[in-house]
Amino acid sequence: MNNNPLLQPYNTAPFSKIENKHFLPAISKLIAETKSEIDAITSNSEAPTFKNTVEALENTGEKLERATSIFFNLNSAETNDEIQKIAQEISPMLTEFSNDMLLNEALFERLKTVYNQKDSLNLSEEQQMLLDKKYKAFSRNGANLSEEKKKELRKIDAELSKLKLTFGENVLAETNKFELHLTDKKYLSGLPEGVIEAAAQTAEEKEKKGWVFTLDYPSYVPFVTYADNRELRKKMAIAFGAKGFHNDALDNQQNVLQIANLRHKRANLLGYKSHAHFVLEERMAETPEKVKSFLNELLGKAKPAAQKEFDELTAFAKELDGIDRLEKWDGAYYSEKLKQKLFNLDDEKLKPYFELKNVINGVFTVAEKLYGLHFEEVQNIDKYHADVKTYEVKDDEGELVAIFYADFHPRAGKRNGAWMTSYKPQQIKDGINDRPHISIVCNFTKPTASKPSLLTFNEVTTLFHEFGHALHGMLANTHYPSLSGTSVYWDFVELPSQILENWCYEKETLELFATHYKTGEVIPMEYVEKIKDSATFLEGMATLRQLSFGMLDMAWHGSDPSGIKDVKAFEVAAFDDTQLYPDVKENCMSTSFSHIFQGGYSAGYYSYKWAEVLDADAFALFKQEGIFNKKVADRFKGFVLSQGGTMDPMELYIKFRGQKPDPEALLKRAGLL
């Protein structure tokens, strides 16, 4: 135990010293230590005060928090069978511990005493928010329940923690299990040279002849976008859409039903009508009714445009290849062909200008111009994989702002998608501003023998998106870790990420980093114009797709799911208003919808669209004053990026913008007005 690196003092995560065997004993010991810290609060004979109860509670479990963030980040970015097995043990332990704390009567009584005196305590706005959050964490999670109901709640939470893990493990296993192995060159028709080279490299790694395509995004997306062979596109699309839907050991249908039902039962137990009612009480949107009316309002605006675009795409496919009925595996392929025809622009033309190394420098330059941040790659910070890059982030005065980790390429032990996370939160304690350690994880095309990593434009916006989240974490400047950085209402958390994507479409930004990887030539102006012109290409269909995900999420979580027997049939009904393509009977989205069944987006998927309203409105101010205008950037940093969850998000937004967000800004940008 003494030589367990997770129990020794460390500043940055000691990845190279950690072995899998260290996790369970370390986390068990740190849970016990945190329990002792809580006992010290409840056994304090002095009357409860803000300092000896609320602040004391905020300061418990710091080491536990850090150890678990290391563990769960590895379980997403560099996992293996052993780590997954450990996760199945650790998750229920943490859930039980969380319940022990939230259902601790003595602790809640002390909190309640302070909460009931809050008006006379002369607290700062941030202290008031902390007290409010702590009190609600208890009252919303069963502190007022009877003993019998508390027992029931514990049982539900333990089951949920295991089910969510199993769901994610099944999706990852399904992703890794499938491969399309081709040995005849004729099947590669239409595929760009870089994609073919990457597939040859994958085949070589798997000790096979020919080419191997997988369900990892950098392999899957180009295949269904460019492969001329319709049957093979179909095979890939069906495999991608059928993850967790094979009635086998990796099937997720029962997991989905159990998760939805347990969440509903939990919400009822706590006095809420549904899981969505429970979740949305702590969101800007407030109620499921508001979310549904928000989604329906956008649907009303987007559907006619989407239908018109779909009809045009269908006509185009018929004219080009005599296709009578457009299927899901045709969408990306003919969209790309139509885009090339209309704008004479395709990703393959753009990719040479988006070398990963340059795009990283580009996003760093944007952060420097807006917020005075300087990134220096350093080699003395421990990492969990050779692919990971580590940076020190400093301000204009040379003071440390953050440690930044970036992990860019797919691997077998890494789940699909892109996300931002933190290894250490920011806080101001005892007069010291303790700076955060922030990480982003993506899945971009790997370099090949002949080419560096070249990104599609979509991958460029993904990098900017995750980096926007990272800035929210890095620029945090609050006293309490639970209010710091991205610890904000879920439908506000996407504002910093989504607003940064806007810079990718601006000439001033592209000229900073979009240079040809061979010649160094800056991206031609005509390409920049085309990127801007094509930004709203098929935007109606894209909006409808996002709305369909939000509506499916609300369908699962907004009412009683106990009558649902057939996951697929339920999903088809939920998609009814947003469906353009014919349904594919072999496919089911819910069984791999990790955002809502494994991640934290349950009853919250709408927040991407909600935050788009905020980001379109906020960026309109940057456009008006200049995209690198220091005054506007200072306001955004001062009122949004640095404030975390210290105030109501709408108040923060109004302080930055001077007004409430205008939904028209989004519709205008999307070309839907």
Side-chain angles (χ1 to χ4, degrees):
M1 202 62 127
N2 290 345
N3 54 8
N4 189 323
L6 290 163
L7 297 171
Q8 309 299 320
Y10 56 88
N11 178 29
T12 55
F15 290 114
S16 62
K17 297 189 184 123
I18 301 170
E19 296 170 45
N20 288 345
K21 65 176 187 192
H22 291 133
F23 284 115
L24 203 55
I27 287 172
S28 302
K29 189 169 186 326
L30 293 171
I31 285 175
E33 274 183 25
T34 310
K35 281 184 170 172
S36 303
E37 292 169 359
I38 289 169
D39 289 343
I41 299 172
T42 55
S43 60
N44 189 341
S45 56
E46 290 173 23
T49 64
F50 182 80
K51 194 170 179 49
N52 72 18
T53 302
V54 183
E55 268 187 358
L57 180 58
E58 175 74 353
N59 291 329
T60 60
E62 279 184 30
K63 287 184 196 157
L64 175 64
E65 188 74 31
R66 291 204 68 190
T68 53
S69 75
I70 290 171
F71 176 73
F72 285 108
N73 283 325
L74 288 180
N75 193 31
S76 290
E78 187 56 19
T79 196
N80 52 45
D81 291 346
E82 196 184 351
I83 287 184
Q84 291 183 355
K85 224 176 115 189
I86 298 167
Q88 289 284 4
E89 284 189 72
I90 284 178
S91 277
M93 276 167 52
L94 288 167
T95 302
E96 192 185 343
F97 163 68
S98 167
N99 281 332
D100 283 344
M101 182 179 76
L102 294 171
L103 301 175
N104 181 323
E105 280 180 34
L107 186 57
F108 183 52
E109 278 310 313
R110 288 187 72 91
L111 256 181
K112 211 182 331 193
T113 304
V114 182
Y115 185 77
N116 289 336
Q117 306 164 355
K118 65 177 182 179
D119 295 339
S120 60
L121 293 178
N122 204 8
L123 300 175
S124 72
E125 206 156 8
E126 191 177 343
Q127 288 172 326
Q128 270 177 341
M129 187 59 97
L130 184 71
L131 173 56
D132 213 41
K133 266 188 91 165
K134 292 283 181 227
Y135 178 76
K136 277 185 180 162
F138 282 74
S139 63
R140 277 169 52 78
N141 286 292
N144 292 314
L145 294 179
S146 68
E147 274 315 305
E148 204 179 315
K149 287 185 169 175
K150 281 181 182 173
K151 262 195 202 126
E152 202 182 328
L153 186 73
R154 284 174 181 275
K155 206 171 141 233
I156 290 173
D157 285 346
E159 277 181 68
L160 274 171
S161 76
K162 289 195 115 159
L163 283 166
K164 280 164 32 180
L165 272 178
T166 305
F167 180 96
E169 284 165 13
N170 289 352
V171 174
L172 183 64
E174 287 272 69
T175 306
N176 289 337
K177 194 171 81 167
F178 175 88
E179 58 179 53
L180 178 67
H181 181 204
L182 303 176
T183 49
D184 190 334
K185 218 172 173 154
K186 71 176 184 198
Y187 294 125
L188 304 174
S189 166
L191 291 171
E193 175 204 342
V195 174
I196 294 171
E197 197 179 340
Q201 193 168 302
T202 304
E204 203 178 304
E205 284 164 10
K206 292 177 180 275
E207 297 178 353
K208 295 189 172 174
K209 292 263 183 289
W211 304 269
V212 168
F213 296 90
T214 69
L215 299 181
D216 286 322
Y217 288 160
S219 179
Y220 172 75
V221 174
F223 193 91
V224 293
T225 307
Y226 295 105
D228 290 330
N229 187 304
R230 194 180 184 209
E231 275 310 302
L232 289 178
R233 288 202 314 270
K234 177 179 178 177
K235 191 175 178 180
M236 282 290 270
I238 286 180
F240 190 86
K243 287 179 295 203
F245 190 57
H246 290 120
N247 292 311
D248 58 6
L250 298 174
D251 193 272
N252 267 336
Q253 291 174 83
Q254 279 311 309
N255 292 329
V256 164
L257 290 172
Q258 280 179 274
I259 291 169
N261 277 293
L262 284 169
R263 281 174 174 165
H264 184 71
K265 245 169 98 173
R266 186 182 194 277
N268 287 173
L269 193 62
L270 293 165
Y272 294 87
K273 200 169 151 191
S274 72
H275 179 65
H277 285 85
F278 170 76
V279 168
L280 292 165
E281 187 180 67
E282 291 287 273
R283 299 286 191 265
M284 289 176 84
E286 297 166 344
T287 66
E289 292 71 31
K290 268 196 192 173
V291 170
K292 285 172 186 165
S293 95
F294 168 72
L295 294 174
N296 282 321
E297 196 180 328
L298 279 179
L299 180 66
K301 300 271 192 337
K303 198 171 179 177
Q307 191 60 57
K308 185 167 172 274
E309 290 165 0
F310 186 73
D311 294 344
E312 282 165 6
L313 195 61
T314 304
F316 174 72
K318 186 163 174 63
E319 179 196 333
L320 199 65
D321 291 327
I323 301 271
D324 280 325
R325 192 167 100 144
L326 207 61
E327 300 282 358
K328 281 190 178 155
W329 44 87
D330 299 318
Y333 180 77
Y334 288 106
S335 296
E336 187 59 30
K337 289 256 186 290
L338 182 57
K339 188 166 153 188
Q340 287 177 29
K341 182 187 165 188
L342 295 176
F343 303 100
N344 188 18
L345 179 76
D346 71 82
D347 268 331
E348 289 311 302
K349 256 189 195 155
L350 295 175
K351 271 171 88 167
Y353 295 95
F354 295 132
E355 184 182 346
L356 176 59
K357 187 180 74 184
N358 294 342
V359 182
I360 295 167
N361 290 336
V363 82
F364 287 170
T365 308
V366 169
E368 185 183 342
K369 283 169 127 12
L370 290 169
Y371 308 117
L373 298 178
H374 307 272
F375 291 76
E376 188 196 339
E377 189 169 1
V378 289
Q379 305 303 334
N380 60 349
I381 291 174
D382 220 339
K383 39 186 147 183
Y384 55 85
H385 192 278
D387 283 356
V388 179
K389 295 177 177 300
T390 48
Y391 302 86
E392 282 185 348
V393 188
K394 295 187 172 164
D395 63 16
D396 287 332
E397 276 73 57
E399 291 292 319
L400 184 74
V401 173
I403 300 289
F404 178 55
Y405 299 78
D407 177 1
F408 290 120
H409 302 297
R411 297 183 289 275
K414 188 177 182 180
R415 67 177 168 92
N416 252 329
W419 62 95
M420 166 267 179
T421 186
S422 140
Y423 289 114
K424 181 185 174 197
Q426 176 273 337
Q427 60 177 321
I428 299 170
K429 198 173 171 187
D430 305 325
I432 292 164
N433 198 329
D434 200 14
R435 300 311 301 166
H437 300 175
I438 302 297
S439 161
I440 61 172
V441 185
C442 305
N443 279 282
F444 297 145
T445 314
K446 283 176 165 172
T448 61
S450 70
K451 283 192 183 74
S453 174
L454 300 175
L455 305 191
T456 63
F457 186 68
N458 196 20
E459 288 176 324
V460 174
T461 59
T462 298
L463 176 52
F464 271 70
H465 179 101
E466 296 310 328
F467 191 76
H469 281 309
L471 287 173
H472 202 183
M474 290 189 265
L475 290 169
N477 196 25
T478 63
H479 286 84
Y480 305 114
S482 71
L483 299 177
S484 176
T486 54
S487 302
V488 298
Y489 276 0
W490 205 263
D491 44 11
F492 192 60
V493 83
E494 295 298 334
L495 168 60
S497 53
Q498 288 180 187
I499 192 172
L500 204 66
E501 290 182 40
N502 290 283
W503 271 263
C504 301
Y505 295 90
E506 299 297 323
K507 173 178 179 282
E508 272 178 86
T509 314
L510 290 167
E511 284 174 345
L512 297 172
F513 68 86
T515 53
H516 197 286
Y517 79 102
K518 277 185 178 162
T519 65
E521 170 210 9
V522 174
I523 190 165
M525 203 44 236
E526 59 172 310
Y527 286 6
V528 177
E529 286 308 319
K530 284 173 181 173
I531 287 173
K532 285 195 78 116
D533 291 344
S534 64
T536 58
F537 174 65
L538 301 186
E539 186 59 43
M541 284 170 70
T543 301
L544 206 62
R545 182 172 175 268
Q546 279 288 81
L547 293 175
S548 73
F549 296 167
M551 286 170 160
L552 178 62
D553 173 28
M554 290 312 283
W556 277 115
H557 295 115
S559 50
D560 181 355
S562 60
I564 305 165
K565 296 291 172 267
D566 183 326
V567 172
K568 169 74 178 180
F570 178 76
E571 177 175 297
V572 168
F575 281 151
D576 191 39
D577 280 347
T578 54
Q579 188 159 353
L580 293 169
Y581 293 96
D583 177 58
V584 182
K585 69 175 190 310
E586 299 91 334
N587 286 9
C588 180
M589 185 185 171
S590 299
T591 54
S592 63
F593 198 173
S594 300
H595 269 79
I596 69 169
F597 289 113
Q598 183 197 3
Y601 279 84
S602 63
Y605 201 89
Y606 75 90
S607 60
Y608 282 106
K609 273 286 163 224
W610 185 274
E612 262 188 67
V613 170
L614 300 177
D615 101 65
D617 183 68
F619 191 65
L621 183 62
F622 276 100
K623 284 286 283 182
Q624 189 183 307
E625 303 297 328
I627 63 165
F628 291 114
N629 182 290
K630 210 59 191 119
K631 265 193 185 142
V632 182
D634 284 348
R635 288 174 67 86
F636 194 70
K637 176 181 165 183
F639 293 124
V640 177
L641 296 176
S642 65
Q643 291 301 309
T646 55
M647 279 172 75
D648 178 272
M650 190 54 89
E651 280 180 49
L652 289 175
Y653 188 84
I654 292 168
K655 282 189 168 187
F656 156 68
R657 189 65 170 96
Q659 62 188 45
K660 279 189 164 181
D662 175 11
E664 298 263 298
L666 170 64
L667 298 168
K668 207 150 128 194
R669 184 179 68 186
L672 296 175
L673 273 189

